[in-house]
């Protein structure tokens, strides 16, 4: 909407402002607010009017709405100090209003616009700049809880805007912690947290005693106390904030885990303490006797503080809270605190381990992840390990895999611990054979982390005997492979270990080193030469010979235009082959190599298509041959989409080149169709479309155009005015010459580039038993896949099902079906519903994963959607096309006719 | 003038309750008012007081009280430690040292009975409370406005049929829906044992249970139930067992909260107790674990699961003796979810009968369970056990591992003992006692480490199986009690249901932390609590507006002075303007004028003196209208000041100051001002 139009609209509005009906006035006020939010409308002109209306307005609702409008105006003009001050004055004046809604809005206004800096006083105003904090603080004791909440929120808003809150607010906020209303308490907890972060080292007195403590400690105690609040919303809030209070003294921190147990006034040890004691005393049987936990020392009744103990046991309470939201928040907070304090990490271990038995899977999973995150700070005791390992039998795959990840980075203290872990993992393997890969990987890390602990176990694990030869184990047994993975990884840093191997172990090593090279490291074995060179680890990637090779071959290609077409083609083919082979050999270069090879292939196709001799032949004769050129154009298009969307780490400068290539393909298409179609009419549309594409290209990449000197598009743009006016036939002619003259653009290589890939783990596609179901009904097929280097998989990854009749179905998995086990990796676990009419015999359907793309998402926002009326959701959900990026898996199904 | 209420209030009066002492005698409390309801307050102003009104003079001083009689609870299968003064029964085999809960509260003229429990340790009259204590002559219905039952444990509801059918009570009985459903099952079960097995006479019949349940009014959580015009009750969630509730009893602005038994930590099937900040005058709370702070429940659960899992893995059989309701369901859920999670295949059995019926109700009352069960019941009701099946006697001899829940919980008789005998000889097997066992039972013997048991018929049973003890209890610990007190913010706390010595500790803590009074009455003792209720006073709008107009907006923190007349008529209070009061009462208005002479040393003429006074007052009283009248007198608002020469001493002038009663404040201020003399420089 143009500015003048807006002005006009506003004038219309002001005419009806005198409307009698308050609801109409309310609507107008809200529309004014919306109007002033739109771009290109300078809201200062309506401010005076709005303030005038405000003064005469009687209805509280309309007042509140008008203040809201003023807020919109104020936020639109953040630089104009005078306006801000004026608005603040207006807000202060209406703070005494009897309606809570008006007071709320005033406070909101103060929070958003009020400033602290006294220096900006304008003498012209004649008003001393008010102390906004003081004014807002006065409303902490308002009679309406909503206003109290708004006051705290306004204060937090001030903080967010970078104004430093006064320390005096702390005491006021503390009083609000015992407010009757949960939203007030919840906001107060936040405020206390904010103040504690601002003034951690200030000293505050403890009431009813002469002692003083640091403010952050005091705040910590108070927030801990809120973990046992009556409202779960407050509890969640408090538990969350605890995690970010890292400056708190360790003395206070450790109290959160100590509930000070007692029984009949005698001090009792916790089960955790008892377990620890049992462990350190070397005794193994646990409390089988009744009264084993009998309390010991007497407690001085005066010293026991049941409730004011502040931090005491806050996490113990939080972790056994009724609501799982609170428990999760508490686990997260524990995690954050433990990461910053190793001694606390050690102490909270017992509690985290206990959380592995929570009734809600999410909580269990969260606590396992937490444990993994703090694992470098801790060493598991045997009894703790025992509890951890018990969870390996969990039926949830997520839990087991999270646990494997945890074991990968856990420190174990004894060789019994390692043995225990191995035994439990093998048990896990027999119970859930699908966990194979994850378990092997876990043992790999377990072995390489604890070589000295594995060493004494080797004879037992390999069941070797000093005198007798034992039977050779089955090489295909996953359990045996698991043991070997553990041993070989330990042996890497323990040179004495290979001496304990028997002959067949060496043979198995050689076999595994070849077949499972990602799990079995290179060993320095007697009588064998080391396979991988130790030198390669020291050189940086740029000096890496393979990287150099890549660079050289690409440079060679870019000198292309000087060669004759035949030679160019050969060189391209050769280089593509080289690159592909390189990608296979060097996994870290695979992305780059593939990416470059694809680009070269596009170029090759283009050259081939242009080399067709038949370009010179008259159109009617050409018809038959056109297949090749149009197929090439189509393929180039596909390849460019792949390049653009299947690689992560593609930067803008690559995107330009890719789009340029696509444009060339489109030009090719245009020429081919121009030559093959008769009549001029269809050409009109095509030409127009092509010119639009060129225009679009120019708009998108205007900044990059200087880099495209002498390129196809550069030349095309020079001739653009002429093209616009020419007839289609002429356009085609020009484009054709251009295309033939265009040079080969150099593709700069990005720093990090990875090709997206997906592997469907399940269904495995090996089953001979068809899935039977009644036709017309659905059958759920579990799909489990790992995705690598996919950006934003929630929106882009789709599942496709191809039925034998050619019918294809695309399924959009739910965002919750995607897990993120590590950087760059995703896991899709979802259910696909299949349905079909009855078949006479079982047949196979194909399941594969697709990457959906939409090239328009790169477009800069069109100016007319500036107001954000079109939500980004709508825009991105439009799928322009899809790229299959996984091998398809065949599933045997059989829809039976329904029985009548 | 403004008025301020002094004096005392009147409020609840609680009745003493008879309790059996150790010797089993009943001691009627001498102070118990033996009047029928409605006349318990002889004061003519009873109606007024019933509404919580308080009279501003010290004349009407009434007492309020709460009585608590309590004895220990049964909570089947849990730790029981009797009242200090309640000696446990020494009869062998009876086995259960249990108490009963029964409290009478009188609040604002209403009499309410909280819980109607029985004592399972006695088989004679002593098992029920002595209801003749309430009234010797006259019907109970006349004395009690309602009866509230907190939950279905027999020590809280066991005497109900006796009370309502045999003693005779026809008033309403309030309980929650699950309690209403499960309570009759338990009563019937108990009746069967008492009558059919032990052959007792003079016991309530099945029909009586049914009739009694017809008098029950079921309430929902947080539903405010109007018992009559003045009395209302409201239930809050209490955890503990299915359907357990805390009750708020409210008359006018006065309220009492009775917690019954509650649990502040959630368990596998129930949530935690919760109450809003209702600020009752009195909170009656149980204090079973007054001196205990418990360890995290997670350790206990983990230990339990680990033990069961290990035993099952090595092929052993696990016996868990439990009582039919409450903990049994919790343990079932615990094992069920564990089996589900760990994909275990060993069968779990549950002894049939009472439990099956009870499980049925657990399935129905999903809203009363914890978050997890409530959230997931749409997919699957957690009480629809997949792995837990009904037990048949023949299953005990099946080979292979299994877990069996069997009743009763102390291994003293029945199915659990039978199974125990079968399995005791094998060291692979295990028995887990989830609760406390009374001395003399097999459970107690094996827990104390006895390995050879003498059974009936001089058989000696050698116990080779493992014996484990796990404590699962559903009461709030000391911290939990404090937490609840903190949540409710009561004015007074009354502890029941615990040992005196332990309560003493908690009492001290509560008084120290919350600075509220805390009481711990002995059985049969009456506690009387004074309260200070607020008294609503009607004010005429005209007066309010007039007074409002004079000052700034009302501020909640500062008291405001208001001029008016308080009329007490027909037990209601009204604040009206004095004119209206005069009109209503048909009185003529009398003018009251104060006159005062102030001697002023001033040799000048009267007129000059008056002028000086005028200018002085003008400069001091800037806010008031000071005028100098032509006749030489000075007025400040309506106050008249005249100067006259002193008849004897010409050097002294007499200032006559006169003001009406309404201007008393200004008048006295003015006098004191003038008494200080005029400033010298003022001319």
């Amino acid at each position: 909407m143009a500015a003048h139009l807006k002005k006009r609209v506003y004038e219309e509005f002001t005419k009806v402002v005198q409307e009698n009906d308050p609801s109409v006035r309310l609507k107008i006020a809200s529309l004014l607010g919306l109007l002033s939010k739109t771009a290109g409308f300078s809201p200062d002109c309506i401010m005076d009017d709005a303030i005038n209306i405000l003064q005469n307005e009687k209805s509280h609702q309309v007042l509140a709405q008008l203040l809201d409008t003023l807020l919109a105006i104020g936020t639109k003009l953040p630089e104009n100090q005078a306006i801000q001050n004026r608005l603040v004055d207006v807000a202060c004046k209406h703070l005494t209003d009897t309606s809570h809604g008006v007071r709320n809005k005033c406070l909101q206004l103060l929070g958003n616009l009020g400033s602290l800096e006294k220096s900006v006083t304008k003498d012209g105003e004649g008003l001393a700049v008010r102390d906004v904090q003081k004014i807002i603080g006065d409303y902490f004791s308002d009679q309406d809880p909503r206003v109290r909440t708004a006051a705290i929120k306004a204060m937090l808003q001030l903080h967010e805007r970078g104004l430093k809150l006064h320390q005096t607010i702390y005491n006021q906020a503390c009083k609000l912690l015992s407010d009757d209303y949960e939203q007030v308490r919840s906001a107060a907890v936040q405020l206390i947290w904010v103040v504690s972060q601002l003034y951690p080292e200030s000293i505050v007195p403890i009431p009813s005693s002469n002692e003083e403590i640091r403010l952050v400690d005091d705040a910590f105690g108070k927030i801990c106390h809120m973990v046992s609040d009556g409202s779960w919303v407050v509890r969640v809030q408090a538990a969350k904030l605890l995690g970010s209070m890292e400056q708190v003294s360790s003395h206070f921190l450790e109290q959160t885990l100590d509930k000070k147990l007692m029984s009949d006034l005698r001090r009792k040890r916790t089960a955790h303490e008892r377990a620890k004691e049992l462990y350190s005393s070397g005794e193994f049987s646990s409390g089988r006797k009744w009264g084993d936990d009998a309390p010991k020392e007497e407690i001085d009744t005066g010293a026991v503080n049941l409730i004011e103990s502040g931090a005491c046991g806050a996490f113990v309470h939080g972790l056994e809270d009724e609501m799982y939201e609170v428990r999760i928040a508490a686990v997260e907070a524990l995690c954050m605190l433990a990461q910053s304090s190793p001694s606390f990490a050690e102490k909270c271990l017992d509690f985290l381990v206990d959380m592995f038995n929570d009734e809600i899977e999410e909580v269990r999973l969260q606590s396992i992840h937490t444990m993994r995150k703090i694992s470098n700070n801790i060493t598991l005791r045997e009894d703790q390990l025992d509890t951890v390992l018990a969870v390996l039998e969990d039926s949830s795959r997520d839990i087991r895999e999270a646990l494997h990840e945890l074991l990968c980075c856990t420190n174990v203290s004894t060789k019994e611990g390692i043995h225990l872990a191995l035994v439990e993992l093998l048990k896990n393997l027999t119970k859930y054979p699908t966990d194979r890969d994850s378990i092997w990987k876990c043992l790999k890390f377990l072995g390489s982390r604890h070589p000295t602990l594995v060493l004494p176990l080797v004879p037992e694990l390999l069941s070797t005997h000093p005198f007798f030869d034992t039977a050779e184990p089955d090489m295909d047994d996953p359990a045996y492979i698991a043991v070997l993975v553990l041993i070989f990884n330990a042996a890497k840093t323990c040179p004495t270990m290979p001496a304990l191997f028997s002959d067949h172990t060496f043979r198995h090593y050689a076999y595994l080193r070849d077949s499972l090279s990602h799990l079995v490291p290179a060993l320095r074995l007697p009588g064998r030469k080391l396979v991988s060179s130790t030198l390669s680890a020291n050189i940086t990637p740029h000096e890496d010979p393979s990287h150099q090779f890549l660079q050289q071959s690409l440079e060679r290609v870019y000198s292309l235009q000087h060669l004759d077409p035949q030679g160019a083609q050969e060189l391209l083919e050769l280089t593509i082959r080289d690159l592909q082979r390189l990608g296979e050999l060097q996994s870290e270069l695979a992305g780059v190599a593939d990416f470059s090879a694809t680009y070269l292939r596009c170029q090759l196709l283009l050259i081939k298509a242009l080399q067709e001799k038949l370009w010179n032949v008259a159109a009617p004769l050409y018809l038959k041959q056109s297949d090749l050129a149009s197929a090439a154009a189509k393929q180039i298009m596909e390849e460019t989409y792949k390049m653009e969307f299947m690689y992560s780490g593609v930067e803008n400068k690559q995107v330009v080149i890719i789009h340029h290539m696509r444009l060339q393909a489109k030009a090719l298409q245009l020429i081919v169709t121009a030559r093959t179609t008769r009549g001029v009419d269809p050409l009109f549309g095509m030409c127009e479309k092509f010119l639009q594409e060129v225009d679009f290209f120019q708009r998108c990449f205007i900044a990059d155009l200087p880099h495209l000197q002498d390129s196809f598009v550069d030349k095309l743009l020079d001739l653009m005015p002429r093209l616009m006016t020419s007839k289609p036939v002429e356009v085609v002619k020009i484009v054709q010459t251009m295309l033939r003259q265009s040079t080969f653009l150099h593709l700069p290589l990005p720093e990090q580039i990875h090709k997206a890939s997906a592997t469907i783990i399940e269904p495995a596609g090996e089953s001979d038993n068809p899935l039977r179901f009644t036709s017309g009904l659905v059958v759920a097929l579990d799909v489990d896949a790992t995705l690598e280097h996919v950006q934003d998989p929630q929106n882009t990854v789709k599942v496709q099902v191809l039925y034998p009749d050619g019918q294809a179905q695309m399924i959009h998995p739910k965002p919750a079906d995607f897990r993120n086990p590590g950087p760059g990796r995703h896991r899709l676990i979802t259910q696909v519903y299949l349905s079909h009419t009855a078949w006479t015999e079982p047949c196979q359907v194909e399941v594969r994963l697709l990457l959906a793309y939409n090239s328009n998402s790169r477009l800069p926002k069109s100016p007319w959607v500036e107001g954000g009326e079109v939500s980004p959701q709508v825009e991105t959900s439009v799928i322009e096309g899809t790229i299959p990026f996984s091998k398809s898996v065949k599933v045997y199904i059989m829809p039976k006719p329904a029985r009548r | 003038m403004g008025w301020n209420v002094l004096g005392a209030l009147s409020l609840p009066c609680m009745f003493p309750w008879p309790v059996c002492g150790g010797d089993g005698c009943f001691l009627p409390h001498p102070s118990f008012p033996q009047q029928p309801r409605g006349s318990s307050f002889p004061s003519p102003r009873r109606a007024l007081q019933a509404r919580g009104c308080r009279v501003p003079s010290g004349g009407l001083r009434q007492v309020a009280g709460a009585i608590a009689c309590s004895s220990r609870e049964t909570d089947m299968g849990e730790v029981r430690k009797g009242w200090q003064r309640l000696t446990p029964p020494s009869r062998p085999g009876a086995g259960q040292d249990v108490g009963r809960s029964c409290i009478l509260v009188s609040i604002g003229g209403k009499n309410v009975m909280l819980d109607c429990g029985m004592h399972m340790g006695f088989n004679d009259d002593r098992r029920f409370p002595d209801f003749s204590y309430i009234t010797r002559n006259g019907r109970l219905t006349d004395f009690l406005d309602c009866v509230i039952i907190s939950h279905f444990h027999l020590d809280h509801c066991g005497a109900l049929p006796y009370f309502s059918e045999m003693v005779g009570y026809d008033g309403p009985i309030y309980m929650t829906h699950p309690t209403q459903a499960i309570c009759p099952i338990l009563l019937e079960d108990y009746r069967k044992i008492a009558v059919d097995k032990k052959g007792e006479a003079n016991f309530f019949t099945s029909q009586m249970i049914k009739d009694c349940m017809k008098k029950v009014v079921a309430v929902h959580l947080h539903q405010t139930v109007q018992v009559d015009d003045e009395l209302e009750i409201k239930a809050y969630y209490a955890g503990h067992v299915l359907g357990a509730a805390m009750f708020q009893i409210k008359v006018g602005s006065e309220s009492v909260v009775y917690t019954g038994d509650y649990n502040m930590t959630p368990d596998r099937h129930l949530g935690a107790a919760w109450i809003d900040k209702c600020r009752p005058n009195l909170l009656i709370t149980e204090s079973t674990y007054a001196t205990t702070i418990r360890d995290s429940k997670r350790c206990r659960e983990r230990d339990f699961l680990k033990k069961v899992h290990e035993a099952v893995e090595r092929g052993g059989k696990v016996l868990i003796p439990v009582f039919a309701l409450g903990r049994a369901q919790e343990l079932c859920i615990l094992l069920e979810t564990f089996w589900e999670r760990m994909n275990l295949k060993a069968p779990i059995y549950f002894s049939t009968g009472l439990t099956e019926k009870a499980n049925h109700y657990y399935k129905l009352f999903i809203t009363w369970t914890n978050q997890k069960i409530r959230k997931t019941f749409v997919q699957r009701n957690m009480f629809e056990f997949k792995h837990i099946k009904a037990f048949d006697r023949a299953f005990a001899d099946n080979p292979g591992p299994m877990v069996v829940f069997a009743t009763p919980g102390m291994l003293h008789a029945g199915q659990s003992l039978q199974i125990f005998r079968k399995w005791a000889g094998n060291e692979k097997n295990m028995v887990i006692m989830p609760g406390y066992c009374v001395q003399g039972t097999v459970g107690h013997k094996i827990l104390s480490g006895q390995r050879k048991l003498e059974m009936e018929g001089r058989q000696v049973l050698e116990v080779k199986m493992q014996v484990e003890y796990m404590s699962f209890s559903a009461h709030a610990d000391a911290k939990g009690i404090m937490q609840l007190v903190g949540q409710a913010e009561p004015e007074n706390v009354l502890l029941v249901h615990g040992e005196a010595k332990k309560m003493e500790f908690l009492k001290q803590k509560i008084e120290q932390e919350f600075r509220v009074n805390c009481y711990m009455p002995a059985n049969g003792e009456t506690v009387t609590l004074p309260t200070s209720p607020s008294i609503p006073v009607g004010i005429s709008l005209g007066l309010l507006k007039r007074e409002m107009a004079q000052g700034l907006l009302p501020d909640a923190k500062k008291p405001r002075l208001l001029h008016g007349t308080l009329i007490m008529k027909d037990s209601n209070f009204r604040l009206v303007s004095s004119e209206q009061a005069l009109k209503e009462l048909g009185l003529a208005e009398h003018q009251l004028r104060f006159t005062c002479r102030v001697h002023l040393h001033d040799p000048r003429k009267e007129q000059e003196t008056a002028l000086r006074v005028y200018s002085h007052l003008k400069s001091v009283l800037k806010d008031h209208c000071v005028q100098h009248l032509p006749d030489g007198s000075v007025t400040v608002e309506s106050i008249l000041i005249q100067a006259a020469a002193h008849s004897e001493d010409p050097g002294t002038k007499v200032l006559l100051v006169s003001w009406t009663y309404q201007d008393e404040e200004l008048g006295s201020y003015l006098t004191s001002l003038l008494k200080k003399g005029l400033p010298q420089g003022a001319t």
Side-chain angles (χ1 to χ4, degrees), chain A residues 96 98 138 141 143 177-180 185 208 228-231 235 258-266 268-272 274-275 286-291 293 300-309 312-314 316-317 319-325 327 350-351 353-361 363-364 383 386-387 390-396 399 427 431-432, chain B residues 81 237 265-275 277 279 290-303 305-307 309-310 313-314 333 337-338 340-344 369-375 382 430 435-437 444 447-449 466-471 477-480 482-484 486-487 489 501-502 505-506 508-509 512-515 553 556-557:
Chain A
T96 48
T98 49
D138 285 344
S141 51
Q143 55 174 344
L177 283 183
S178 51
D179 198 276
D180 283 10
R185 292 200 300 269
S208 73
S228 49
D229 189 87
S231 147
R235 293 203 297 269
D258 183 8
K259 213 176 153 192
K260 299 226 185 318
L261 300 194
M262 61 175 191
S263 169
D264 296 351
L265 287 179
R266 278 176 298 173
K268 212 170 129 178
R269 285 165 313 144
T270 63
H272 292 150
R274 270 183 276 135
S286 73
R288 296 258 151 79
K289 249 176 19 211
W290 178 54
D293 57 346
D300 174 19
T301 49
V304 187
N305 215 352
L306 281 182
I307 201 143
E308 279 299 314
S309 1
C312 229
V316 183
H317 287 293
L319 291 178
E320 57 180 25
D321 198 275
E322 183 183 358
M323 313 300 282
Y324 84 93
E325 291 91 339
R327 297 200 296 269
D350 278 319
F351 293 90
V353 169
D354 278 348
M355 294 308 286
F356 287 13
N357 277 324
D358 195 274
E359 52 193 346
I360 305 247
E361 187 178 318
V363 183
R364 295 201 292 270
D383 57 316
D386 206 25
T387 327
V391 187
L392 277 177
E393 287 193 44
D394 203 297
S395 58
S396 152
I399 297 268
K427 230 160 106 190
K431 205 165 176 181
Y432 306 101
Chain B
K81 294 161 192 158
Y237 191 74
T265 41
D267 61 31
R268 287 286 169 146
H269 72 310
L270 297 174
W274 179 84
I275 196 162
K277 236 176 235 205
R279 300 197 171 89
T291 54
T292 301
I293 298 177
R294 267 179 314 180
D295 199 353
S296 147
K297 60 161 185 166
R298 298 192 175 276
C299 302
R300 291 196 305 264
E301 285 178 4
R302 199 189 61 205
D303 270 13
L305 294 173
K306 203 172 146 192
K307 281 172 185 169
H309 190 191
E310 277 170 7
E313 255 192 357
R314 62 168 180 258
I333 293 235
T337 40
F338 188 71
E340 185 97 22
R341 263 180 59 199
M342 297 303 186
N343 239 333
L344 299 179
T369 54
N370 72 6
Q371 187 195 22
K372 155 96 176 167
I373 301 177
R374 271 184 284 134
K375 287 218 165 141
M382 290 277 274
M430 177 188 280
Y436 173 80
C437 288
H444 187 263
L447 278 181
S448 48
Q466 283 183 52
V467 179
E468 302 282 358
Y469 171 72
M470 300 264 53
S471 138
D477 65 358
K479 258 199 147 161
M482 297 296 273
Q483 210 180 321
L484 189 89
Q487 274 183 19
E489 292 190 3
K501 201 180 83 196
K502 296 180 180 177
F505 164 79
L506 190 63
Q508 182 199 331
K509 285 293 153 204
Q512 190 181 320
E513 303 288 350
F514 297 108
R515 310 200 183 282
L553 281 170
K557 277 184 245 159

Side-chain angles (χ1 to χ4, degrees), chain A residues 471-523:
Chain A
E472 184 176 330
D474 177 13
M475 197 49 249
D476 289 329
D477 180 11
Y480 179 62
I481 295 178
V483 174
L484 285 184
V485 166
L486 175 77
I487 292 174
F488 289 149
N489 279 289
K492 193 178 164 194
T493 43
C494 184
T496 51
M497 207 180 280
L500 298 167
F501 296 171
S502 53
D503 282 347
H504 55 78
T505 317
F506 289 114
R507 267 185 284 123
H508 294 166
Y509 165 73
Y511 171 66
L512 288 180
R513 173 72 191 136
D514 243 19
S515 57
L516 295 170
S517 51
H518 61 290
L519 292 172
V520 179
L523 291 184

